[in-house]
Amino acid sequence: YENPKIDLICQHCTDGSIKPIRFRVQDEEGIQREFNIKGYRETSEAGIISFECNVVVNNMAKRVTIYTSHISNDGIWYIKMD
């Protein structure tokens, strides 16, 4: 099972850091859903850029992980929902 791909809007800061702002993901019904990131912390490790993000889904706070491979350098972001 591959985690879903997402569209990600992020800010690239002058210090080289990345700030995730919003993402869009297709749900089980094929509908694109958009989520604003309310808070995050970077959890990157060797070869992977990743963030644990707090979002609101159906009026409930949820934590998701978004990540991309620094090694493949393809620019594709994925989401893992806990």
Side-chain angles (χ1 to χ4, degrees):
Y1 171 76
E2 184 177 293
N3 290 319
K5 296 177 183 178
I6 62 170
D7 296 326
L8 176 66
I9 295 175
C10 58
Q11 175 180 328
H12 292 264
C13 302
T14 57
D15 64 2
S17 63
I18 299 172
K19 178 182 177 181
I21 298 171
R22 180 180 312 129
F23 65 88
R24 184 172 46 215
V25 63
Q26 188 171 346
D27 68 12
E28 302 84 21
E29 299 166 0
I31 299 170
Q32 291 282 341
R33 305 282 182 191
E34 192 169 293
F35 300 93
N36 291 318
I37 295 170
K38 303 297 185 186
Y40 70 93
R41 82 178 174 97
E42 186 170 354
T43 55
S44 299
E45 50 189 60
I48 302 290
I49 301 170
S50 61
F51 298 93
E52 281 185 357
C53 300
N54 299 319
V55 296
V56 176
V57 179
N58 297 327
N59 294 321
M60 295 181 60
K62 297 281 185 183
R63 179 171 292 147
V64 299
T65 301
I66 59 173
Y67 64 94
T68 188
S69 171
H70 194 57
I71 295 169
S72 67
N73 200 25
D74 58 11
I76 298 174
W77 286 83
Y78 299 89
I79 187 167
K80 182 172 70 173
M81 295 175 239
D82 299 327

